[in-house]
């Protein structure tokens, strides 16, 4: 009997990378539909499909949890698991393979991070294994890197603390999310008005609500600016701008401008600007939103497809912006693979003809572990054969990744920055200009338009030509777009005052991860807490009301994540036990339950987009059904909810008691639950009367209120 090693990867595509690195001749064996393992002379290769197990639902754990209450759920210290039905074949395959007598070692190759360790831990809890288990920690995803990682594998017990931290994170999210959702729904929501809570989604919607309050409370102020035009050493004139002035300051200065001398002070700095770091997931999402108009969800799906289906790019869910030393030795293979595909041929020719090398700041020379590398093109993806299969959006995102990578072959751009300033009776006027002296990497995406100033001699006096006074008004902060909200989630430390919490949130890169932030936004739209109109994100009244009712709930602040990550770090280092960690989680759960109890009795209406004078024009929808959260539709006779197939029959007639109901009135009714007093209704007896229309939440109908 030939003894073999069983290699278990996290996903089928990673399994194939190990096959390519260790035993390319291994043959495939079909276990079930879509489920395969591979066997060679030395190794058997199998995989999970991400998570194969999840915690049971509260009502499956204890019958007392079936009824939703403003009480803490009855949950054991360690949550019982159940198999994910869609992935059972993967587990059953593993269960059969570990029984084989010809296996002397099980080699775990899940992703090199806390989540990867958790995925294996949950699988292992449900397997009966006799062979020893080792763990591969992947530093580099090249063939050579995977081979080295396999060679350097360690006993899986070495990662026991990481496994415990993964289990702690899973249980914390479950305890907080399940308790928070049920308690707050029972306290403030109700049937078809679920108040979904979660460690990441709750503080995310709080960020949007907090900004909305700032906009609502914003008081515009008038100010004045002066544009001063003077002579220069050229025939062209020079324009300089003042700062903010009061009306009195502007009027006083304006009368003197024509008679003052203007001594110019000139500062010129030559700067070297390095090319940007390679892409991490959040960067691709933000740029695709801003440059291509794609949603975060769409971009995430495209990145996954480019990686998994086409093999054109590296792992798409990463917060790393560099590549490893080993990968840097393969960069010319990527350049060669891009040659002739018709997207960047001139750039490829330039790199090769000038023997350009990859910039060092894009390479990680440290000995630290890199669970993933930056998103780059692959050298074995065969883009010349696949490029024709891509949709226009897929090609656009792929080109973004390609260009960001190719910028790395060019030296820093040289930029000359010039600042000119002068003084007029104590008021400073200034202007800046920029000249791209050597574009270098900037050529890849187009050289920025230069703002070239006319020639000025430092210390020389120049004459007045004319001026312009403008009255301006301060503007409220801009609402979030998906790009700016993703950035806010990544930089959540800005929204807490505690210095230690700021530091922790910066270290863990905010709330959520590169892999989950897009899904969090999708969930917040789906559950009626946020609504997107065009590119702008608005909180719904449901969100605003919840924040008002629970201003001090632990769920409203990124602080919860900071505290959780601090303790998870202690668990990973062996300085905190599982029991101690869960004790602190239970304290947080007690706090959110008590917060709900203290404020219960206040009702949060179902979904309705927030409306204000500044946002009304941009919100062109009719509104949201107050009972099921669907977007209301319109036909010739009514405004109706399209959820009638699921039992929601809510509608508003376009004519009620002889009075035509305008779309504006309908929006008010959906937004506030009732209108102001309306005139012009006619009774069955032909008498005119005035009344308020309101939505009766008991009958689900629009009724009169006198």
């Amino acid at each position: 009997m030939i003894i073999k090693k069983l290699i278990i990867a996290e996903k089928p595509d990673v399994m194939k990378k190990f096959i390519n690195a260790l035993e390319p001749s291994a043959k495939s064996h079909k276990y079930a539909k879509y489920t395969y393992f591979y066997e060679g002379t030395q190794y058997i290769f199998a995989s999970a499909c991400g998570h194969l197990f999840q915690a049971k639902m509260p009502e499956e754990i204890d019958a007392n949890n079936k009824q939703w209450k403003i009480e803490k759920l009855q949950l054991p210290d360690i949550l019982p698991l159940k198999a994910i039905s869609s992935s059972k074949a993967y587990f059953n395959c593993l269960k059969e393979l570990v029984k084989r007598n010809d296996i002397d070692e099980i080699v775990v190759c899940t992703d090199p991070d806390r989540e990867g360790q958790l995925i294996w831990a949950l699988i292992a809890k449900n397997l009966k294994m006799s062979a020893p288990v080792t763990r591969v920690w992947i530093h580099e995803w090249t063939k050579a890197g995977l081979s080295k990682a396999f060679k350097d594998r360690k006993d899986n017990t070495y990662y026991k603390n990481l496994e415990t931290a993964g289990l702690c994170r899973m249980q914390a999210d479950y305890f907080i999310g399940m308790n928070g959702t049920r308690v707050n729904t029972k306290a403030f929501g109700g049937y078809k008005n679920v108040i979904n809570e979660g460690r990441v989604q709750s503080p995310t919607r709080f960020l949007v609500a907090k900004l909305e309050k700032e906009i609502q409370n914003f008081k515009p102020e008038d100010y004045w600016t002066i544009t001063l035009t003077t002579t220069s050493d050229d025939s062209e004139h020079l324009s300089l701008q003042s700062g903010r002035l009061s009306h009195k300051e502007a009027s006083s200065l304006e009368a003197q401008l024509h008679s003052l001398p203007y001594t110019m002070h000139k500062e010129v700095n030559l700067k070297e600007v390095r090319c940007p770091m390679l892409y991490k997931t959040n960067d691709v999402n933000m740029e695709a939103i801003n440059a291509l108009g794609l949603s975060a969800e769409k971009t995430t799906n495209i990145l996954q497809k480019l990686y998994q289906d086409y093999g054109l790019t590296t792992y798409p869910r990463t917060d790393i912006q560099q590549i490893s030393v080993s990968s840097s030795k393969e960069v010319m293979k990527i350049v060669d693979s891009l040659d002739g595909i018709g997207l960047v041929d001139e750039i490829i020719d330039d790199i090769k003809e000038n023997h350009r090398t990859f910039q060092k700041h894009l390479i990680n020379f440290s000995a630290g572990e890199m669970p993933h590398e930056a998103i780059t093109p692959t050298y074995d993806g065969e883009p010349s054969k696949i490029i024709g299969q891509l949709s226009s959006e897929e090609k656009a995102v792929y080109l973004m990744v390609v260009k960001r990578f190719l910028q790395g072959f060019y030296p820093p751009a040289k930029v000359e920055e010039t600042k000119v300033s002068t003084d007029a009776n104590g008021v400073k006027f200034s202007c800046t200009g920029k000249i791209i002296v050597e574009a270098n990497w900037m050529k890849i995406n187009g050289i920025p338009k230069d703002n070239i100033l006319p020639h000025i001699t430092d210390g020389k006096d120049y004459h007045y030509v004319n001026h312009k006074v403008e009255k301006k008004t301060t503007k409220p902060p801009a609402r979030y777009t998906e790009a700016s909200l993703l950035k806010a989630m990544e930089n959540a430390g800005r929204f807490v005052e505690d210095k230690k919490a700021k530091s922790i949130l910066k270290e863990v890169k905010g709330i959520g991860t590169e892999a989950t932030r897009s899904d969090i936004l999708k969930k917040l739209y789906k559950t009626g807490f946020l609504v997107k109109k065009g590119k702008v994100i608005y909180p719904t009244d449901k969100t605003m009301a919840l924040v008002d009712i629970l201003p001090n709930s632990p769920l409203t602040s990124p602080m919860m994540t900071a505290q959780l990550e601090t303790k998870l770090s202690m668990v990973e280092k062996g300085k905190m036990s599982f029991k101690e960690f869960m004790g602190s989680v239970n304290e947080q759960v007690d706090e959110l339950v008590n917060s709900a109890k203290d404020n219960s009795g206040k009702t949060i209406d179902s979904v309705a987009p927030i409306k204000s004078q500044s946002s009304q024009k941009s919100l062109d929808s009719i509104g949201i059904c107050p009972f099921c959260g669907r977007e209301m539709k319109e036909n010739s006779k009514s405004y109706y909810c399209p959820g009638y197939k699921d039992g929601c029959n809510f509608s508003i007639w376009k004519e009620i008691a002889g009075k035509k109901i305008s779309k504006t009135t309908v929006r008010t009714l959906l937004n506030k639950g009732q209108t102001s007093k309306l005139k012009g209704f006619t009774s069955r007896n032909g008498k005119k009367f005035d009344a308020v229309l309101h939505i009766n939440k008991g009958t689900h109908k629009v009724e009169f209120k006198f």
Side-chain angles (χ1 to χ4, degrees):
M1 182 172 62
I2 299 174
I3 301 300
K4 301 177 182 181
K5 300 184 187 306
L6 173 60
I7 296 171
I8 301 176
E10 184 170 316
K11 298 175 284 289
D13 57 292
V14 177
M15 171 183 68
K16 290 175 182 177
K17 289 179 185 290
F18 273 99
I19 293 170
N20 186 47
L22 300 177
E23 196 171 0
S25 60
K27 304 296 182 184
S28 67
H29 296 267
K30 187 173 184 179
Y31 177 81
K33 190 177 182 181
Y34 306 125
T35 306
Y36 293 79
F37 69 91
Y38 289 71
E39 186 165 355
T41 57
Q42 300 179 69
Y43 307 108
I44 300 170
F45 301 89
S47 83
C49 187
H51 278 280
L52 300 186
F53 288 88
Q54 62 187 12
K56 291 183 178 181
M57 293 299 290
E59 59 271 22
E60 295 176 290
I61 296 172
D62 191 313
N64 291 322
N65 295 329
K66 189 171 184 180
Q67 186 177 357
W68 291 31
K69 309 170 187 174
I70 314 179
E71 298 289 345
K72 195 172 180 179
L73 289 167
Q74 301 297 308
L75 299 173
D77 292 338
I78 298 179
L79 295 168
L81 304 174
K82 64 179 180 181
I84 297 173
S85 57
S86 60
S87 303
K88 275 186 178 179
Y90 287 92
F91 173 71
N92 290 334
C93 180
L94 294 177
K95 187 165 65 172
E96 292 299 319
L97 290 174
V98 299
K99 292 178 183 177
R100 287 178 49 159
N101 295 326
D102 58 344
I103 292 173
D104 71 339
E105 182 183 349
I106 297 169
V107 185
V108 179
C109 301
T110 52
D111 283 355
D113 52 27
R114 186 197 294 159
E115 201 65 18
Q117 193 66 26
L118 174 65
I119 285 173
W120 167 248
L122 299 186
I123 294 171
K125 282 178 181 291
N126 293 276
L127 289 177
K128 293 181 179 179
M129 298 174 289
S130 56
V133 179
T134 57
R135 170 72 150 108
V136 168
W137 195 265
I138 306 164
H139 296 269
E140 302 159 6
W141 292 82
T142 60
K143 184 176 179 179
L146 293 176
S147 296
K148 186 176 186 304
F150 180 79
K151 192 175 182 180
D152 296 341
R153 65 192 182 276
K154 297 177 181 177
D155 190 286
N156 189 55
T157 56
Y158 178 82
Y159 300 96
K160 183 62 179 176
N161 288 340
L162 187 67
E163 175 185 316
T164 304
L167 186 61
C168 285
R169 196 279 310 153
M170 180 193 79
Q171 295 221 152
D173 285 352
Y174 184 100
F175 273 60
I176 292 166
M178 288 294 183
N179 276 289
T181 297
R182 291 182 173 221
V183 164
N184 284 350
T185 297
K186 184 64 178 177
F188 315 116
Y191 179 64
K192 291 189 177 181
N193 185 20
V194 176
I195 310 296
N196 302 83
E197 299 288 7
R199 181 175 58 87
V200 178
Q201 62 172 310
S202 298
T204 298
R205 69 183 184 227
F206 173 75
L207 295 181
V208 181
K210 182 174 180 288
L211 178 60
E212 188 65 34
K213 283 188 174 294
E214 290 177 19
I215 294 170
Q216 290 175 348
N217 296 328
F218 179 80
K219 294 181 180 179
E221 296 179 359
D222 293 336
Y223 66 95
W224 283 257
T225 63
I226 300 177
T227 303
L228 171 67
T229 304
T230 69
T231 56
S232 71
D233 293 337
D234 300 332
S235 58
E236 186 181 348
H237 294 155
L238 176 69
S239 292
L240 304 100
Q241 187 76 37
S242 75
R244 292 185 182 183
L245 302 170
S246 67
H247 185 257
K248 183 178 179 180
E249 289 171 329
S251 298
S252 174
L253 185 59
E254 182 182 13
Q256 307 170 51
L257 288 174
H258 68 282
S259 60
L260 295 173
Y262 297 101
T263 303
M264 296 296 171
H265 302 283
K266 180 179 178 182
E267 298 176 30
V268 180
N269 293 312
L270 183 63
K271 292 186 176 181
E272 288 195 345
V273 182
R274 298 192 305 189
C275 68
M277 300 296 284
L278 298 172
Y279 275 134
K280 64 180 190 293
T281 307
N282 228 32
D283 292 341
V284 182
N285 277 328
M286 288 189 287
E287 189 162 327
I289 291 166
N290 291 328
L292 305 177
L294 300 177
S295 67
E297 180 186 1
K298 181 73 172 178
T299 306
T300 299
N301 291 339
I302 289 174
L303 280 175
Q304 187 65 28
K305 200 169 182 182
L306 290 172
Y307 163 69
Q308 188 167 308
D309 295 357
Y310 300 128
L312 291 176
T313 56
T314 55
Y315 186 69
R317 301 191 172 199
T318 176
D319 59 1
I320 307 297
Q321 294 180 288
Q322 294 176 303
I323 58 174
S324 64
V325 173
S326 178
S327 293
S328 70
K329 296 174 183 177
E330 310 282 359
V331 292
M332 285 309 299
K333 289 184 180 180
I334 300 177
V335 172
D336 289 337
S337 74
L338 295 169
D339 198 355
I341 66 173
L343 293 178
V344 286
D345 291 354
E346 290 183 9
I347 302 170
I348 300 298
D349 290 342
D350 180 68
I351 290 172
K352 289 183 174 182
E353 289 171 8
N354 292 287
H355 306 288
R356 299 190 183 279
T357 57
F358 209 61
Q359 296 296 294
K360 290 184 178 180
H361 71 284
L362 305 178
I363 304 169
N364 182 5
F365 290 97
S366 70
E369 295 174 340
M370 288 179 68
H372 299 294
E373 298 188 18
I375 300 172
T376 68
T378 57
Y379 63 78
D380 54 357
E382 299 186 303
S384 59
K385 295 181 181 179
I386 297 174
I387 200 74
Q389 302 175 31
L390 304 184
S391 68
S392 59
E393 291 176 338
E394 290 168 349
K395 189 181 292 185
V397 174
Y398 178 57
L399 184 58
M400 277 173 44
V401 175
V402 167
K403 285 187 172 182
R404 178 63 72 95
F405 169 74
L406 293 178
Q407 285 176 344
F409 285 89
Y410 289 82
K414 292 184 179 179
V415 181
E416 186 179 87
E417 293 184 351
T418 303
K419 181 177 181 180
V420 178
S421 61
T422 190
D423 185 275
N425 277 359
V427 176
K428 187 176 181 180
F429 288 81
S430 64
C431 61
T432 57
K434 186 181 291 184
I435 298 174
I436 309 298
V437 180
E438 292 181 23
N440 294 323
W441 65 267
M442 289 184 177
K443 292 186 295 186
I444 304 300
N445 276 317
I447 302 171
K449 187 177 180 181
D450 298 341
N451 176 26
I452 303 174
L453 301 178
H455 286 99
I456 293 291
T457 301
D458 185 39
K460 182 178 175 180
D461 288 352
Y462 293 87
H463 300 295
Y464 168 88
V465 174
N466 59 48
H467 72 276
K468 181 181 179 181
V469 179
E470 290 182 278
K471 179 184 177 182
K472 298 182 179 180
T473 304
T474 55
K475 295 180 179 179
R479 287 184 173 85
Y480 286 116
T481 62
E482 282 195 343
S484 60
L485 184 52
L486 287 170
K487 189 173 183 179
M489 293 170 75
E490 185 177 355
N491 297 297
R494 294 192 295 116
F495 305 100
V496 298
E497 295 181 3
D498 184 86
K499 289 184 179 180
K500 187 176 180 181
K502 280 181 181 290
S503 176
I504 293 163
L505 286 167
K506 183 177 181 180
E507 184 180 338
V508 301
K509 299 177 183 176
I511 55 175
T513 66
E514 304 288 330
T516 61
R517 290 187 188 116
S518 172
D519 291 337
I520 291 295
L521 296 190
K522 180 181 176 182
K523 187 178 291 186
L524 288 170
Y525 297 141
K526 185 177 180 180
T527 53
F529 287 104
L530 301 181
V531 62
K532 186 171 72 166
K533 297 296 176 182
K535 292 184 177 181
V536 181
I537 295 173
Y538 296 84
T540 59
D541 281 345
K542 183 176 179 179
T543 294
M544 299 302 289
L546 187 59
V547 171
D548 285 340
I549 289 173
L550 296 172
N552 299 315
S553 168
L555 290 164
T556 60
S557 171
M559 278 292 293
M560 177 178 278
T561 290
Q563 294 165 351
L564 183 70
E565 289 294 342
T566 300
K567 289 163 185 166
L568 286 173
S569 177
M570 293 173 68
V571 173
E572 285 186 18
K573 295 173 183 175
K575 295 180 179 180
M576 178 177 277
S577 68
F578 175 84
K579 185 177 180 181
E580 289 171 326
F581 178 88
M582 288 308 300
S584 68
V585 169
N586 277 303
E587 287 176 6
Q588 288 183 318
V589 171
D590 289 337
E591 188 179 343
L592 68 88
V593 171
N594 290 334
S595 179
K597 285 181 177 179
D598 292 343
N599 293 281
S600 62
K602 303 174 183 177
T603 303
I604 295 174
D605 290 339
S606 189
V607 189
I610 189 162
K611 310 238 176 126
S612 64
Q613 288 184 338
S614 59
S615 66
Q616 182 69 43
K617 291 182 180 179
S618 64
L619 296 179
D620 53 1
S621 70
I622 300 166
I624 303 296
C625 173
F627 300 105
C628 72
R630 292 178 173 86
E631 189 84 27
M632 293 287 285
K633 303 294 183 182
E634 178 182 5
N635 61 26
S636 60
K637 293 184 179 180
S638 69
Y639 303 98
Y640 67 97
C641 173
Y644 56 89
K645 291 181 180 179
D646 297 322
C648 185
N649 296 315
F650 178 70
S651 64
I652 303 172
W653 294 107
K654 287 189 172 181
E655 185 172 312
I656 299 175
K659 177 179 174 60
K660 290 184 177 180
I661 307 301
S662 70
K663 191 176 286 188
T664 300
T665 299
V666 171
R667 286 193 178 116
T668 300
L669 187 58
L670 292 170
N671 184 26
K672 297 183 177 180
Q674 68 177 42
T675 67
S676 57
K677 184 179 285 188
L678 303 176
K679 297 182 178 181
F681 294 106
T682 305
S683 70
R684 292 177 181 177
N685 297 328
K687 294 182 178 180
K688 297 287 184 181
F689 66 93
D690 304 336
V692 170
L693 293 177
H694 81 110
I695 298 172
N696 187 320
K697 293 191 175 178
T699 63
H700 288 209
K701 292 182 179 180
V702 175
E703 298 176 355
F704 292 117
K705 182 188 286 187
F706 296 95

